[in-house]
């Protein structure tokens, strides 16, 4: 089973969460770091071997047609779209073009494949009427629904639910966890396997990475930025989970 993940934010985190889930059930191939473009994805796909039970790959884009080009190489059985946001607008121009580009992945699904999409997203919720096998994730009106439980979340699918605690309790990772759970369900895994996998998930470096340096808590979120990812980071460090005063060192976008 091969899963391809795209979206404006959360691709790498969702990939690592799904990788953690898959690896509980069998050998898994994935792209390391952010090898997710026209060069990195083919190199990553070449790592696939007969012994791999699962594959999970993130796909990036900076212009219309990018996802269609590399998605056709991956030919996934599960296509995940995390969200639509103002990323690479110097090339895309507007959010409508971002949406049209990210949803190119749907056309790359193998026959009978499943679309996994974020029903909380204003653009992606319109995919509810798309004529394709699909699973939605979100806080309401979703196949895999999220309930905030303070120190963690509860993920519900049909009549079953699991409690999940994520490192640092970063709330914008709740949707990423739900996306990974939905992709795992679409790949034939159950909620018990998902709970075990998310329980051993380790965040990738430079994405809300919490460190202690000379007694101070330092949150390193320096991989990349766009307006929506920066807002999510600021919302996260503004919660009571992080001591005040708060000092920000922000780079250019």
């Amino acid at each position: 089973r091969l899963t391809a993940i795209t979206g404006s934010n959360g691709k790498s985190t969702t990939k690592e969460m799904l990788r953690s889930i898959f690896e509980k059930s069998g050998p898994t191939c994935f792209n390391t770091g952010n090898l997710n473009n026209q060069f990195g994805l083919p190199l990553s796909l070449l790592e696939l071997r007969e012994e791999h039970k699962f594959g999970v790959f993130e796909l990036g884009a900076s212009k219309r047609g990018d996802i269609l080009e590399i998605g056709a190489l991956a030919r996934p059985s599960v296509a995940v779209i995390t969200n639509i946001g103002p990323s690479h607008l110097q090339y895309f121009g507007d959010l409508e073009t971002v949406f049209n580009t990210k949803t190119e992945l749907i056309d790359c699904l193998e026959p009978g494949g499943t679309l996994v999409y974020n029903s909380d997203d204003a653009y992606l919720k319109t995919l509810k009427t798309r004529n394709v096998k699909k699973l939605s994730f979100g806080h309401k009106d979703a196949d895999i629904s999220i309930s905030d439980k303070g120190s963690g979340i509860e993920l519900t699918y049909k009549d079953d639910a699991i409690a999940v605690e994520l490192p640092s309790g970063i709330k914008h990772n709740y949707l990423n966890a739900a996306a990974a759970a939905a992709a795992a369900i679409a790949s034939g895994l159950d909620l018990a396997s998902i709970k075990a996998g998310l329980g051993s998930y380790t965040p990738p470096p430079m994405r809300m990475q919490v460190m202690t340096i000379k007694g101070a808590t330092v949150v390193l979120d320096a991989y990349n930025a766009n307006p929506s990812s920066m807002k999510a980071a600021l919302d996260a460090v503004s919660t009571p989970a992080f001591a005040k005063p708060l000092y920000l060192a922000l780079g250019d976008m």
Side-chain angles (χ1 to χ4, degrees), residues 215-233:
T217 298
V218 177
V219 182
L220 176 62
D221 194 53
Y223 161 68
N224 206 340
N226 59 49
S228 55
S229 65
M230 178 58 67
K231 181 181 184 304

Side-chain angles (χ1 to χ4, degrees), residues 19-229:
R19 170 195 166 191
S20 184
I21 295 168
F22 280 161
E23 286 182 337
K24 294 291 184 183
S25 298
T28 302
C29 187
F30 58 95
N31 41 6
T32 57
N34 65 329
L35 291 175
N36 62 11
N37 58 15
Q38 285 89 342
F39 303 100
L41 183 70
L43 288 172
S44 300
L45 290 172
L46 287 171
E47 297 294 322
L48 279 167
R49 297 289 183 268
E50 187 176 346
E51 65 266 21
H52 288 123
K53 184 176 180 180
F54 301 101
V56 53
F57 302 93
E58 63 172 279
L59 279 61
S62 58
K63 66 181 187 302
R64 186 74 188 267
D66 279 354
I67 295 298
L68 188 62
E69 180 182 6
I70 59 178
L73 298 177
R75 201 67 177 165
S77 51
V78 179
V80 180
I81 309 178
T82 59
N83 49 50
I84 302 298
S87 60
H88 300 297
L89 288 186
Q90 71 271 40
Y91 305 115
F92 286 126
D94 54 44
L95 287 175
E96 190 69 30
T97 304
V98 176
F99 170 75
N100 290 332
T101 302
K102 300 301 184 182
T103 53
E104 290 170 356
L105 188 57
I106 301 171
D107 296 324
C108 301
L109 275 167
E110 69 175 15
T114 303
L115 165 66
V116 171
Y117 70 97
N118 178 357
S119 60
D120 285 359
D121 186 278
Y123 280 88
L124 294 178
K125 68 181 181 181
T126 64
L127 297 176
K128 183 176 182 178
T129 59
R130 185 68 68 95
N131 185 24
V132 65
K133 185 179 177 183
K134 51 190 173 289
L135 279 174
S136 61
F137 64 91
H139 286 86
K140 57 182 179 179
D141 299 324
D143 296 309
I144 292 84
S145 62
I146 307 165
S147 299
D148 191 340
K149 296 299 181 181
S151 61
I153 57 173
E154 184 176 80
L155 296 176
T156 303
Y157 176 61
K158 295 185 176 178
D159 295 326
D160 294 323
I162 54 170
V164 177
E165 290 194 18
L166 298 173
S168 304
I170 304 299
K171 288 185 180 293
H172 60 258
N173 277 339
Y174 294 174
L175 279 167
N176 296 329
I185 289 168
S187 300
L189 299 186
D190 58 20
L191 286 180
S193 300
I194 293 166
K195 181 178 176 67
L198 289 176
S200 60
Y201 157 74
T202 301
M206 295 194 294
R207 292 166 177 82
M208 297 302 294
Q209 183 178 357
V210 180
M211 303 174 290
T212 301
I213 301 177
K214 294 184 177 180
T217 298
V218 177
V219 182
L220 176 62
D221 194 53
Y223 161 68
N224 206 340
N226 59 49
S228 55
S229 65

